[in-house]
Every structure is written in C-alpha cells, then in structure tokens.
mmCIF file of all heavy atoms in Angstrom:
data_model
loop_
_atom_site.group_PDB
_atom_site.id
_atom_site.type_symbol
_atom_site.label_atom_id
_atom_site.label_comp_id
_atom_site.label_asym_id
_atom_site.label_seq_id
_atom_site.Cartn_x
_atom_site.Cartn_y
_atom_site.Cartn_z
ATOM 1 N N ARG W 796 0.836 -1.205 0.000
ATOM 2 C CA ARG W 796 0.000 0.000 0.000
ATOM 3 C C ARG W 796 0.870 1.253 0.000
ATOM 4 O O ARG W 796 1.738 1.423 0.854
ATOM 5 C CB ARG W 796 -0.899 -0.009 1.238
ATOM 6 C CG ARG W 796 -1.895 1.137 1.318
ATOM 7 C CD ARG W 796 -2.844 0.923 2.487
ATOM 8 N NE ARG W 796 -2.142 0.972 3.756
ATOM 9 C CZ ARG W 796 -1.955 2.093 4.471
ATOM 10 N NH1 ARG W 796 -2.429 3.253 4.012
ATOM 11 N NH2 ARG W 796 -1.323 2.061 5.624
ATOM 12 N N LEU W 797 0.642 2.119 -0.996
ATOM 13 C CA LEU W 797 1.340 3.402 -1.040
ATOM 14 C C LEU W 797 0.780 4.289 0.065
ATOM 15 O O LEU W 797 -0.437 4.462 0.175
ATOM 16 C CB LEU W 797 1.140 4.071 -2.402
ATOM 17 C CG LEU W 797 1.866 5.404 -2.605
ATOM 18 C CD1 LEU W 797 3.369 5.175 -2.737
ATOM 19 C CD2 LEU W 797 1.334 6.124 -3.845
ATOM 20 N N ILE W 798 1.659 4.853 0.885
ATOM 21 C CA ILE W 798 1.188 5.659 2.004
ATOM 22 C C ILE W 798 1.600 7.129 1.903
ATOM 23 O O ILE W 798 1.059 7.975 2.614
ATOM 24 C CB ILE W 798 1.672 5.088 3.356
ATOM 25 C CG1 ILE W 798 3.170 4.834 3.342
ATOM 26 C CG2 ILE W 798 0.935 3.806 3.693
ATOM 27 C CD1 ILE W 798 3.711 4.217 4.619
ATOM 28 N N ALA W 799 2.528 7.446 1.012
ATOM 29 C CA ALA W 799 2.939 8.848 0.846
ATOM 30 C C ALA W 799 3.811 8.964 -0.406
ATOM 31 O O ALA W 799 4.314 7.968 -0.935
ATOM 32 C CB ALA W 799 3.708 9.339 2.070
ATOM 33 N N GLY W 800 3.990 10.209 -0.868
ATOM 34 C CA GLY W 800 4.901 10.476 -1.988
ATOM 35 C C GLY W 800 4.345 10.119 -3.348
ATOM 36 O O GLY W 800 5.108 9.762 -4.258
ATOM 37 N N LYS W 801 3.055 10.241 -3.531
ATOM 38 C CA LYS W 801 2.420 9.855 -4.795
ATOM 39 C C LYS W 801 3.010 10.578 -5.997
ATOM 40 O O LYS W 801 3.100 10.011 -7.099
ATOM 41 C CB LYS W 801 0.918 10.118 -4.714
ATOM 42 C CG LYS W 801 0.135 9.688 -5.941
ATOM 43 C CD LYS W 801 -1.362 9.948 -5.757
ATOM 44 C CE LYS W 801 -2.139 9.517 -6.990
ATOM 45 N NZ LYS W 801 -3.598 9.760 -6.820
ATOM 46 N N ALA W 802 3.443 11.820 -5.808
ATOM 47 C CA ALA W 802 3.975 12.615 -6.923
ATOM 48 C C ALA W 802 5.302 12.074 -7.451
ATOM 49 O O ALA W 802 5.750 12.483 -8.518
ATOM 50 C CB ALA W 802 4.144 14.077 -6.500
ATOM 51 N N GLY W 803 5.924 11.142 -6.716
ATOM 52 C CA GLY W 803 7.196 10.595 -7.160
ATOM 53 C C GLY W 803 7.089 9.230 -7.805
ATOM 54 O O GLY W 803 8.106 8.540 -7.982
ATOM 55 N N LEU W 804 5.886 8.829 -8.190
ATOM 56 C CA LEU W 804 5.697 7.491 -8.751
ATOM 57 C C LEU W 804 6.351 7.298 -10.120
ATOM 58 O O LEU W 804 6.445 6.171 -10.609
ATOM 59 C CB LEU W 804 4.203 7.165 -8.848
ATOM 60 C CG LEU W 804 3.498 6.878 -7.513
ATOM 61 C CD1 LEU W 804 2.015 6.590 -7.737
ATOM 62 C CD2 LEU W 804 4.157 5.697 -6.801
ATOM 63 N N SER W 805 6.817 8.375 -10.737
ATOM 64 C CA SER W 805 7.513 8.244 -12.019
ATOM 65 C C SER W 805 9.021 8.039 -11.824
ATOM 66 O O SER W 805 9.760 7.918 -12.808
ATOM 67 C CB SER W 805 7.278 9.484 -12.882
ATOM 68 O OG SER W 805 7.766 10.655 -12.231
ATOM 69 N N ASN W 806 9.480 7.970 -10.570
ATOM 70 C CA ASN W 806 10.909 7.739 -10.298
ATOM 71 C C ASN W 806 11.340 6.401 -10.868
ATOM 72 O O ASN W 806 10.688 5.375 -10.658
ATOM 73 C CB ASN W 806 11.178 7.755 -8.790
ATOM 74 C CG ASN W 806 11.008 9.131 -8.179
ATOM 75 O OD1 ASN W 806 10.845 10.120 -8.889
ATOM 76 N ND2 ASN W 806 11.027 9.203 -6.867
ATOM 77 N N GLN W 807 12.477 6.385 -11.578
ATOM 78 C CA GLN W 807 12.978 5.167 -12.191
ATOM 79 C C GLN W 807 13.731 4.303 -11.182
ATOM 80 O O GLN W 807 14.371 4.819 -10.260
ATOM 81 C CB GLN W 807 13.891 5.500 -13.368
ATOM 82 C CG GLN W 807 13.173 6.186 -14.519
ATOM 83 C CD GLN W 807 14.065 6.351 -15.733
ATOM 84 O OE1 GLN W 807 15.220 5.952 -15.736
ATOM 85 N NE2 GLN W 807 13.529 6.938 -16.787
ATOM 86 N N ILE W 808 13.654 2.986 -11.388
ATOM 87 C CA ILE W 808 14.298 2.028 -10.491
ATOM 88 C C ILE W 808 15.296 1.192 -11.290
ATOM 89 O O ILE W 808 14.934 0.586 -12.299
ATOM 90 C CB ILE W 808 13.258 1.091 -9.841
ATOM 91 C CG1 ILE W 808 12.220 1.909 -9.083
ATOM 92 C CG2 ILE W 808 13.941 0.090 -8.910
ATOM 93 C CD1 ILE W 808 11.057 1.079 -8.594
ATOM 94 N N SER W 809 16.543 1.152 -10.812
ATOM 95 C CA SER W 809 17.565 0.335 -11.473
ATOM 96 C C SER W 809 17.894 -0.922 -10.687
ATOM 97 O O SER W 809 18.403 -1.901 -11.245
ATOM 98 C CB SER W 809 18.845 1.148 -11.679
ATOM 99 O OG SER W 809 19.409 1.531 -10.432
ATOM 100 N N SER W 810 17.613 -0.914 -9.369
ATOM 101 C CA SER W 810 17.898 -2.072 -8.542
ATOM 102 C C SER W 810 17.181 -1.929 -7.200
ATOM 103 O O SER W 810 16.522 -0.919 -6.949
ATOM 104 C CB SER W 810 19.412 -2.222 -8.312
ATOM 105 O OG SER W 810 19.701 -3.461 -7.706
ATOM 106 N N VAL W 811 17.332 -2.951 -6.354
ATOM 107 C CA VAL W 811 16.693 -2.964 -5.034
ATOM 108 C C VAL W 811 17.760 -3.199 -3.977
ATOM 109 O O VAL W 811 18.671 -4.010 -4.164
ATOM 110 C CB VAL W 811 15.622 -4.071 -4.945
ATOM 111 C CG1 VAL W 811 14.915 -4.022 -3.586
ATOM 112 C CG2 VAL W 811 14.612 -3.946 -6.072
ATOM 113 N N HIS W 812 17.642 -2.488 -2.863
ATOM 114 C CA HIS W 812 18.594 -2.648 -1.759
ATOM 115 C C HIS W 812 17.838 -2.818 -0.450
ATOM 116 O O HIS W 812 16.948 -2.032 -0.131
ATOM 117 C CB HIS W 812 19.513 -1.431 -1.666
ATOM 118 C CG HIS W 812 20.430 -1.463 -0.474
ATOM 119 N ND1 HIS W 812 21.506 -2.326 -0.395
ATOM 120 C CD2 HIS W 812 20.420 -0.755 0.695
ATOM 121 C CE1 HIS W 812 22.125 -2.145 0.762
ATOM 122 N NE2 HIS W 812 21.490 -1.195 1.440
ATOM 123 N N ILE W 813 18.190 -3.868 0.304
ATOM 124 C CA ILE W 813 17.627 -4.060 1.641
ATOM 125 C C ILE W 813 18.598 -3.478 2.651
ATOM 126 O O ILE W 813 19.766 -3.855 2.705
ATOM 127 C CB ILE W 813 17.385 -5.554 1.935
ATOM 128 C CG1 ILE W 813 16.378 -6.129 0.944
ATOM 129 C CG2 ILE W 813 16.868 -5.727 3.367
ATOM 130 C CD1 ILE W 813 16.108 -7.612 1.146
ATOM 131 N N MET W 814 18.108 -2.560 3.471
ATOM 132 C CA MET W 814 18.958 -1.908 4.464
ATOM 133 C C MET W 814 18.970 -2.724 5.743
ATOM 134 O O MET W 814 17.936 -2.937 6.365
ATOM 135 C CB MET W 814 18.447 -0.494 4.741
ATOM 136 C CG MET W 814 19.303 0.272 5.728
ATOM 137 S SD MET W 814 18.739 1.969 5.956
ATOM 138 C CE MET W 814 19.972 2.560 7.121
ATOM 139 N N PHE W 815 20.167 -3.159 6.148
ATOM 140 C CA PHE W 815 20.311 -3.935 7.379
ATOM 141 C C PHE W 815 20.963 -3.128 8.499
ATOM 142 O O PHE W 815 20.747 -3.399 9.673
ATOM 143 C CB PHE W 815 21.140 -5.192 7.117
ATOM 144 C CG PHE W 815 20.470 -6.191 6.216
ATOM 145 C CD1 PHE W 815 20.919 -6.399 4.920
ATOM 146 C CD2 PHE W 815 19.370 -6.912 6.652
ATOM 147 C CE1 PHE W 815 20.310 -7.324 4.092
ATOM 148 C CE2 PHE W 815 18.743 -7.832 5.829
ATOM 149 C CZ PHE W 815 19.218 -8.042 4.544
ATOM 150 N N ASN W 816 21.782 -2.130 8.114
ATOM 151 C CA ASN W 816 22.481 -1.332 9.125
ATOM 152 C C ASN W 816 22.877 0.014 8.526
ATOM 153 O O ASN W 816 22.546 0.318 7.373
ATOM 154 C CB ASN W 816 23.720 -2.071 9.649
ATOM 155 C CG ASN W 816 24.609 -2.562 8.513
ATOM 156 O OD1 ASN W 816 24.931 -1.801 7.595
ATOM 157 N ND2 ASN W 816 24.989 -3.834 8.556
ATOM 158 N N ASN W 817 23.615 0.795 9.301
ATOM 159 C CA ASN W 817 23.992 2.145 8.876
ATOM 160 C C ASN W 817 24.946 2.182 7.695
ATOM 161 O O ASN W 817 25.134 3.235 7.076
ATOM 162 C CB ASN W 817 24.636 2.904 10.045
ATOM 163 C CG ASN W 817 23.625 3.241 11.128
ATOM 164 O OD1 ASN W 817 22.442 2.990 10.971
ATOM 165 N ND2 ASN W 817 24.110 3.799 12.223
ATOM 166 N N GLU W 818 25.563 1.051 7.366
ATOM 167 C CA GLU W 818 26.487 1.011 6.234
ATOM 168 C C GLU W 818 25.778 1.359 4.926
ATOM 169 O O GLU W 818 26.404 1.833 3.983
ATOM 170 C CB GLU W 818 27.127 -0.377 6.129
ATOM 171 C CG GLU W 818 28.104 -0.696 7.251
ATOM 172 C CD GLU W 818 29.262 0.281 7.305
ATOM 173 O OE1 GLU W 818 29.872 0.530 6.242
ATOM 174 O OE2 GLU W 818 29.561 0.798 8.397
ATOM 175 N N SER W 819 24.479 1.116 4.878
ATOM 176 C CA SER W 819 23.710 1.422 3.670
ATOM 177 C C SER W 819 23.734 2.911 3.358
ATOM 178 O O SER W 819 23.576 3.314 2.198
ATOM 179 C CB SER W 819 22.262 0.950 3.832
ATOM 180 O OG SER W 819 22.201 -0.448 3.953
ATOM 181 N N LEU W 820 23.936 3.737 4.386
ATOM 182 C CA LEU W 820 23.961 5.184 4.187
ATOM 183 C C LEU W 820 25.222 5.632 3.452
ATOM 184 O O LEU W 820 25.295 6.758 2.970
ATOM 185 C CB LEU W 820 23.857 5.898 5.533
ATOM 186 C CG LEU W 820 22.604 5.583 6.361
ATOM 187 C CD1 LEU W 820 22.665 6.303 7.702
ATOM 188 C CD2 LEU W 820 21.346 5.972 5.596
ATOM 189 N N LYS W 821 26.223 4.756 3.367
ATOM 190 C CA LYS W 821 27.470 5.093 2.686
ATOM 191 C C LYS W 821 27.471 4.642 1.231
ATOM 192 O O LYS W 821 28.396 4.947 0.483
ATOM 193 C CB LYS W 821 28.649 4.434 3.416
ATOM 194 C CG LYS W 821 28.769 4.827 4.882
ATOM 195 C CD LYS W 821 29.897 4.055 5.555
ATOM 196 C CE LYS W 821 29.982 4.370 7.040
ATOM 197 N NZ LYS W 821 31.064 3.591 7.695
ATOM 198 N N LEU W 822 26.458 3.887 0.830
ATOM 199 C CA LEU W 822 26.414 3.337 -0.521
ATOM 200 C C LEU W 822 25.786 4.316 -1.503
ATOM 201 O O LEU W 822 25.015 5.199 -1.122
ATOM 202 C CB LEU W 822 25.607 2.032 -0.520
ATOM 203 C CG LEU W 822 26.094 0.925 0.409
ATOM 204 C CD1 LEU W 822 25.139 -0.265 0.349
ATOM 205 C CD2 LEU W 822 27.507 0.484 0.032
ATOM 206 N N ASP W 823 26.123 4.145 -2.772
ATOM 207 C CA ASP W 823 25.485 4.916 -3.834
ATOM 208 C C ASP W 823 24.176 4.218 -4.195
ATOM 209 O O ASP W 823 24.175 3.185 -4.854
ATOM 210 C CB ASP W 823 26.399 4.987 -5.057
ATOM 211 C CG ASP W 823 25.772 5.793 -6.199
ATOM 212 O OD1 ASP W 823 24.681 6.369 -6.000
ATOM 213 O OD2 ASP W 823 26.363 5.826 -7.293
ATOM 214 N N THR W 824 23.069 4.759 -3.729
ATOM 215 C CA THR W 824 21.769 4.116 -3.951
ATOM 216 C C THR W 824 20.880 4.935 -4.886
ATOM 217 O O THR W 824 19.658 4.896 -4.786
ATOM 218 C CB THR W 824 21.044 3.875 -2.621
ATOM 219 O OG1 THR W 824 20.944 5.126 -1.903
ATOM 220 C CG2 THR W 824 21.787 2.869 -1.759
ATOM 221 N N LYS W 825 21.503 5.688 -5.793
ATOM 222 C CA LYS W 825 20.728 6.447 -6.770
ATOM 223 C C LYS W 825 19.893 5.491 -7.620
ATOM 224 O O LYS W 825 20.408 4.481 -8.119
ATOM 225 C CB LYS W 825 21.645 7.270 -7.672
ATOM 226 C CG LYS W 825 20.916 8.060 -8.753
ATOM 227 C CD LYS W 825 21.871 8.918 -9.550
ATOM 228 C CE LYS W 825 21.182 9.563 -10.742
ATOM 229 N NZ LYS W 825 20.001 10.339 -10.376
ATOM 230 N N ASP W 826 18.613 5.796 -7.770
ATOM 231 C CA ASP W 826 17.650 5.003 -8.541
ATOM 232 C C ASP W 826 17.384 3.631 -7.919
ATOM 233 O O ASP W 826 16.827 2.753 -8.580
ATOM 234 C CB ASP W 826 18.112 4.821 -10.001
ATOM 235 C CG ASP W 826 18.183 6.130 -10.755
ATOM 236 O OD1 ASP W 826 17.446 7.060 -10.382
ATOM 237 O OD2 ASP W 826 18.976 6.238 -11.705
ATOM 238 N N TYR W 827 17.762 3.448 -6.676
ATOM 239 C CA TYR W 827 17.487 2.186 -5.984
ATOM 240 C C TYR W 827 16.163 2.281 -5.228
ATOM 241 O O TYR W 827 15.824 3.331 -4.684
ATOM 242 C CB TYR W 827 18.593 1.858 -4.979
ATOM 243 C CG TYR W 827 19.794 1.150 -5.551
ATOM 244 C CD1 TYR W 827 20.374 1.569 -6.750
ATOM 245 C CD2 TYR W 827 20.370 0.079 -4.886
ATOM 246 C CE1 TYR W 827 21.492 0.926 -7.264
ATOM 247 C CE2 TYR W 827 21.490 -0.570 -5.390
ATOM 248 C CZ TYR W 827 22.038 -0.143 -6.578
ATOM 249 O OH TYR W 827 23.136 -0.783 -7.084
ATOM 250 N N LEU W 828 15.466 1.169 -5.177
ATOM 251 C CA LEU W 828 14.324 1.036 -4.283
ATOM 252 C C LEU W 828 14.866 0.508 -2.957
ATOM 253 O O LEU W 828 15.517 -0.538 -2.919
ATOM 254 C CB LEU W 828 13.294 0.066 -4.865
ATOM 255 C CG LEU W 828 12.149 -0.351 -3.933
ATOM 256 C CD1 LEU W 828 11.328 0.855 -3.516
ATOM 257 C CD2 LEU W 828 11.276 -1.401 -4.604
ATOM 258 N N ILE W 829 14.613 1.220 -1.884
ATOM 259 C CA ILE W 829 15.135 0.858 -0.571
ATOM 260 C C ILE W 829 14.056 0.127 0.223
ATOM 261 O O ILE W 829 12.939 0.615 0.363
ATOM 262 C CB ILE W 829 15.589 2.107 0.217
ATOM 263 C CG1 ILE W 829 16.537 2.968 -0.626
ATOM 264 C CG2 ILE W 829 16.227 1.700 1.533
ATOM 265 C CD1 ILE W 829 17.814 2.281 -1.036
ATOM 266 N N LEU W 830 14.404 -1.038 0.746
ATOM 267 C CA LEU W 830 13.499 -1.812 1.597
ATOM 268 C C LEU W 830 14.083 -1.836 3.005
ATOM 269 O O LEU W 830 15.261 -2.127 3.186
ATOM 270 C CB LEU W 830 13.336 -3.238 1.069
ATOM 271 C CG LEU W 830 12.842 -3.373 -0.376
ATOM 272 C CD1 LEU W 830 12.731 -4.849 -0.764
ATOM 273 C CD2 LEU W 830 11.498 -2.678 -0.567
ATOM 274 N N ILE W 831 13.243 -1.542 3.995
ATOM 275 C CA ILE W 831 13.776 -1.379 5.336
ATOM 276 C C ILE W 831 12.726 -1.669 6.403
ATOM 277 O O ILE W 831 11.574 -1.235 6.282
ATOM 278 C CB ILE W 831 14.319 0.055 5.512
ATOM 279 C CG1 ILE W 831 14.802 0.311 6.936
ATOM 280 C CG2 ILE W 831 13.284 1.081 5.130
ATOM 281 C CD1 ILE W 831 15.455 1.669 7.121
ATOM 282 N N PRO W 832 13.122 -2.410 7.463
ATOM 283 C CA PRO W 832 12.252 -2.493 8.648
ATOM 284 C C PRO W 832 12.201 -1.098 9.274
ATOM 285 O O PRO W 832 13.258 -0.488 9.498
ATOM 286 C CB PRO W 832 12.976 -3.491 9.563
ATOM 287 C CG PRO W 832 13.922 -4.214 8.675
ATOM 288 C CD PRO W 832 14.324 -3.244 7.624
ATOM 289 N N PHE W 833 11.034 -0.595 9.542
ATOM 290 C CA PHE W 833 10.907 0.799 9.933
ATOM 291 C C PHE W 833 11.613 1.104 11.247
ATOM 292 O O PHE W 833 12.057 2.215 11.494
ATOM 293 C CB PHE W 833 9.424 1.179 10.034
ATOM 294 C CG PHE W 833 9.201 2.651 10.234
ATOM 295 C CD1 PHE W 833 9.625 3.562 9.290
ATOM 296 C CD2 PHE W 833 8.613 3.126 11.378
ATOM 297 C CE1 PHE W 833 9.436 4.909 9.454
ATOM 298 C CE2 PHE W 833 8.416 4.482 11.566
ATOM 299 C CZ PHE W 833 8.826 5.369 10.608
ATOM 300 N N ASN W 834 11.749 0.101 12.143
ATOM 301 C CA ASN W 834 12.372 0.359 13.441
ATOM 302 C C ASN W 834 13.873 0.107 13.422
ATOM 303 O O ASN W 834 14.500 0.027 14.471
ATOM 304 C CB ASN W 834 11.717 -0.510 14.520
ATOM 305 C CG ASN W 834 11.940 -1.995 14.277
ATOM 306 O OD1 ASN W 834 12.460 -2.370 13.228
ATOM 307 N ND2 ASN W 834 11.537 -2.823 15.220
ATOM 308 N N LEU W 835 14.471 -0.021 12.247
ATOM 309 C CA LEU W 835 15.891 -0.340 12.149
ATOM 310 C C LEU W 835 16.754 0.698 12.854
ATOM 311 O O LEU W 835 17.709 0.365 13.564
ATOM 312 C CB LEU W 835 16.323 -0.446 10.683
ATOM 313 C CG LEU W 835 17.785 -0.828 10.445
ATOM 314 C CD1 LEU W 835 18.068 -2.233 10.958
ATOM 315 C CD2 LEU W 835 18.132 -0.732 8.968
ATOM 316 N N LEU W 836 16.429 1.969 12.663
ATOM 317 C CA LEU W 836 17.208 3.035 13.293
ATOM 318 C C LEU W 836 16.510 3.621 14.506
ATOM 319 O O LEU W 836 16.802 4.730 14.928
ATOM 320 C CB LEU W 836 17.499 4.149 12.272
ATOM 321 C CG LEU W 836 18.345 3.737 11.060
ATOM 322 C CD1 LEU W 836 18.621 4.929 10.181
ATOM 323 C CD2 LEU W 836 19.645 3.094 11.511
ATOM 324 N N GLY W 837 15.577 2.850 15.077
ATOM 325 C CA GLY W 837 14.898 3.323 16.273
ATOM 326 C C GLY W 837 13.603 4.031 15.962
ATOM 327 O O GLY W 837 13.286 4.317 14.804
ATOM 328 N N ASN W 838 12.854 4.330 16.966
ATOM 329 C CA ASN W 838 11.542 4.944 16.796
ATOM 330 C C ASN W 838 11.556 6.451 17.042
ATOM 331 O O ASN W 838 10.520 7.046 17.312
ATOM 332 C CB ASN W 838 10.533 4.278 17.742
ATOM 333 C CG ASN W 838 10.238 2.842 17.322
ATOM 334 O OD1 ASN W 838 10.106 2.563 16.140
ATOM 335 N ND2 ASN W 838 10.165 1.941 18.291
ATOM 336 N N HIS W 839 12.730 7.063 16.971
ATOM 337 C CA HIS W 839 12.820 8.510 17.157
ATOM 338 C C HIS W 839 12.421 9.213 15.864
ATOM 339 O O HIS W 839 12.978 8.939 14.799
ATOM 340 C CB HIS W 839 14.231 8.900 17.571
ATOM 341 C CG HIS W 839 14.701 8.214 18.822
ATOM 342 N ND1 HIS W 839 14.171 8.484 20.063
ATOM 343 C CD2 HIS W 839 15.639 7.242 19.007
ATOM 344 C CE1 HIS W 839 14.762 7.731 20.970
ATOM 345 N NE2 HIS W 839 15.653 6.957 20.352
ATOM 346 N N ALA W 840 11.478 10.128 15.957
ATOM 347 C CA ALA W 840 10.930 10.797 14.779
ATOM 348 C C ALA W 840 12.017 11.505 13.975
ATOM 349 O O ALA W 840 12.029 11.456 12.742
ATOM 350 C CB ALA W 840 9.846 11.782 15.197
#
C-alpha cells in the first residue's frame, strides 16, 4: 500500500537494496528502491 509520496511514482528504479544497518547510508543508492524495517534506526521521529 502506497502511504505517501504519490507525486514521485515516475521515479525510475535500477535495482533494489535491503537496508540492514547504517552502512547502507554510505552506498550509492541512486535510482534504488530501498526496503527497510521501519524500526531499524529506532523509533525517534
């Protein structure tokens, strides 16, 4: 279910990345679809 960001549905996808830890923040994820457990980095807003 899409929950936000409808205006970006034309964004192109070249690959998929599952985020397991903070190392993902150092990767080049341009045009990647990011999959992530929402509580991975804690529940701080």
Side-chain angles (χ1 to χ4, degrees):
R796 184 173 65 90
L797 182 71
I798 51 182
K801 183 178 180 180
L804 287 179
S805 60
N806 291 351
Q807 295 187 0
I808 302 171
S809 63
S810 190
V811 183
H812 174 72
I813 298 179
M814 182 176 181
F815 293 109
N816 51 49
N817 290 355
E818 290 300 311
S819 296
L820 301 177
K821 302 176 183 179
L822 302 177
D823 180 5
T824 55
K825 178 176 172 55
D826 296 334
Y827 275 45
L828 170 61
I829 308 299
L830 303 180
I831 176 175
F833 189 61
N834 64 352
L835 182 65
L836 297 183
N838 291 319
H839 303 291

